C-alpha cells in the first residue's frame, strides 16, 4: 500500500505539472490551432504490480508480483470540437514476478512455496478525451490479453505432484491518463491502467482443488507518441 500511495501521489503530481508544461509550450506548438486528429505510434515504459492469493482447504496465503513493463503503442484520434475520440492498441513485455514460502504448515505454499508471473500483455482500447488546446486528459477502456504463469508446492496441491498453470488469458482493461504535445508531431503521456485477466485454474488429483484469485494488476506508464 505504501508503494501504491507513492506511485499515485507521483502520478497526480505529474498530472498537475503537465498542465503547467502545456501552458509553457503553447506558443511553440501553436496551441490555438492544434488538432489531435490523425494516426500515431509510440512507446511506453513503467511499473506494474498485483496481489496474488493461493487457496487450499480453507487456508490462503497472499504475495505480491511486481516489476517492469514496457512496449509499443499505436492509435488513431478523431477530434470534434474539444472532444477527442480514439482507438489505441499496445503490446508490452512484462517482468512481473513474485513468490512466497508460507511460515506455517497450516497454510498452503509452506514447503517449496508458490509463485506467479506475468510475461507479456496487450490491450485494445477506446479513448475519450477533452482537449485544452495541446493538453489532453482522457479516459480509456477495452479488452486485454496476456500470458500468466504460476506454480504451487505440495502443501497447496494436496500433497500430490506440484501443480501449476500457464495460460494465455483474455480480460478487460480500463484507466485514465494525460497527454500533451510539444509540437505537431511529438507528444508525451502519463497513464494509469488496470488490467483484469480473470481466474486461471490449478488442478490436482486430490480434491478439493487448489485455486488462485483473479489475476488483475495495475500499471503506471509514461510514453512518447509520434503523430503523422
Amino acid at each position: 500500500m505504501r508503494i501504491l500511495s507513492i506511485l499515485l501521489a507521483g502520478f497526480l503530481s505529474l498530472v498537475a505539472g503537465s498542465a503547467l508544461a502545456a501552458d509553457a509550450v503553447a506558443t511553440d506548438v501553436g496551441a490555438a490551432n492544434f488538432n489531435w486528429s490523425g494516426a500515431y505510434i509510440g512507446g511506453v515504459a513503467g511499473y506494474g504490480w498485483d496481489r496474488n492469493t493461493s487457496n487450499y482447504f480453507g487456508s490462503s496465503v497472499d504475495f505480491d508480483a511486481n516489476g517492469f513493463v514496457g512496449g509499443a503503442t499505436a492509435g488513431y484520434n478523431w477530434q470534434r470540437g474539444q472532444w477527442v475520440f480514439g482507438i489505441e492498441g499496445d503490446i508490452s513485455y512484462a517482468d512481473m514476478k513474485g513468490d512466497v514460502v508460507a511460515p506455517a504448515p497450516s497454510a498452503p505454499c509452506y514447503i517449496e512455496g508458490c509463485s506467479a508471473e506475468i510475461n507479456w500483455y496487450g490491450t485494445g482500447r477506446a479513448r475519450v478525451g477533452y482537449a485544452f488546446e495541446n493538453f489532453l486528459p482522457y479516459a480509456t477502456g477495452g479488452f486485454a490479453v496476456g500470458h500468466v504463469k504460476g506454480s504451487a508446492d505440495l502443501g497447496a496441491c494436496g500433497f500430490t505432484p506440484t501443480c501449476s498453470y500457464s495460460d494465455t488469458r483474455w480480460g478487460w482493461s480500463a484507466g485514465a491518463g494525460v497527454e500533451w504535445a510539444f509540437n505537431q508531431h511529438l507528444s508525451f503521456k502519463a497513464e494509469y491502467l488496470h488490467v483484469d485477466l480473470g481466474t486461471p485454474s490449478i488442478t490436482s488429483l486430490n480434491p478439493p482443488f487448489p485455486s488462485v484469485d483473479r489475476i488483475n494488476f495495475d500499471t503506471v506508464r509514461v510514453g512518447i507518441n509520434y503523430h503523422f
Side-chain angles (χ1 to χ4, degrees):
M1 289 299 295
R2 183 178 180 183
I3 293 177
L4 178 58
S5 298
I6 293 172
L7 287 170
L8 288 177
F11 180 70
L12 291 174
S13 298
L14 188 58
V15 170
S18 66
L20 298 177
D23 289 339
V25 301
T27 56
D28 294 332
V29 300
N33 299 316
F34 189 82
N35 192 292
W36 288 92
S37 294
Y40 61 89
I41 59 172
V44 292
Y47 182 79
W49 69 97
D50 79 328
R51 171 62 62 89
N52 295 272
T53 302
S54 290
N55 307 281
Y56 184 74
F57 257 137
S59 297
S60 64
V61 61
D62 296 329
F63 62 101
D64 294 328
N66 49 67
F68 170 83
V69 297
T73 63
Y76 196 96
N77 291 322
W78 295 268
Q79 182 165 352
R80 298 293 182 267
Q82 287 183 267
W83 289 99
V84 179
F85 305 92
I87 54 174
E88 182 174 280
D90 64 80
I91 184 72
S92 291
Y93 163 79
D95 188 27
M96 297 175 58
K97 301 177 180 178
D99 57 69
V100 65
V101 177
S106 60
C109 310
Y110 74 90
I111 300 176
E112 298 169 326
C114 298
S115 67
E117 181 178 344
I118 299 169
N119 303 125
W120 62 266
Y121 71 96
T123 69
R125 293 169 284 107
R127 297 202 319 173
V128 179
Y130 192 82
F132 297 91
E133 298 169 342
N134 62 319
F135 175 63
L136 178 68
Y138 62 87
T140 183
F143 72 85
V145 60
H147 188 262
V148 298
K149 296 174 63 177
S151 64
D153 64 14
L154 298 181
C157 296
F159 292 93
T160 61
T162 301
C163 50
S164 63
Y165 61 89
S166 180
D167 297 330
T168 298
R169 301 197 58 83
W170 291 82
W172 58 271
S173 61
V178 291
E179 187 171 358
W180 60 99
F182 298 108
N183 53 48
Q184 292 292 335
H185 294 294
L186 289 177
S187 65
F188 177 81
K189 74 174 183 181
E191 181 180 74
Y192 162 78
L193 199 64
H194 177 80
V195 178
D196 188 320
L197 295 178
T199 305
S201 298
I202 297 181
T203 59
S204 75
L205 301 177
N206 185 16
F209 298 139
S211 66
V212 296
D213 285 350
R214 298 183 70 84
I215 296 179
N216 49 68
F217 58 95
D218 299 280
T219 66
V220 172
R221 312 185 299 182
V222 295
I224 295 178
N225 287 331
Y226 179 84
H227 299 257
F228 296 96

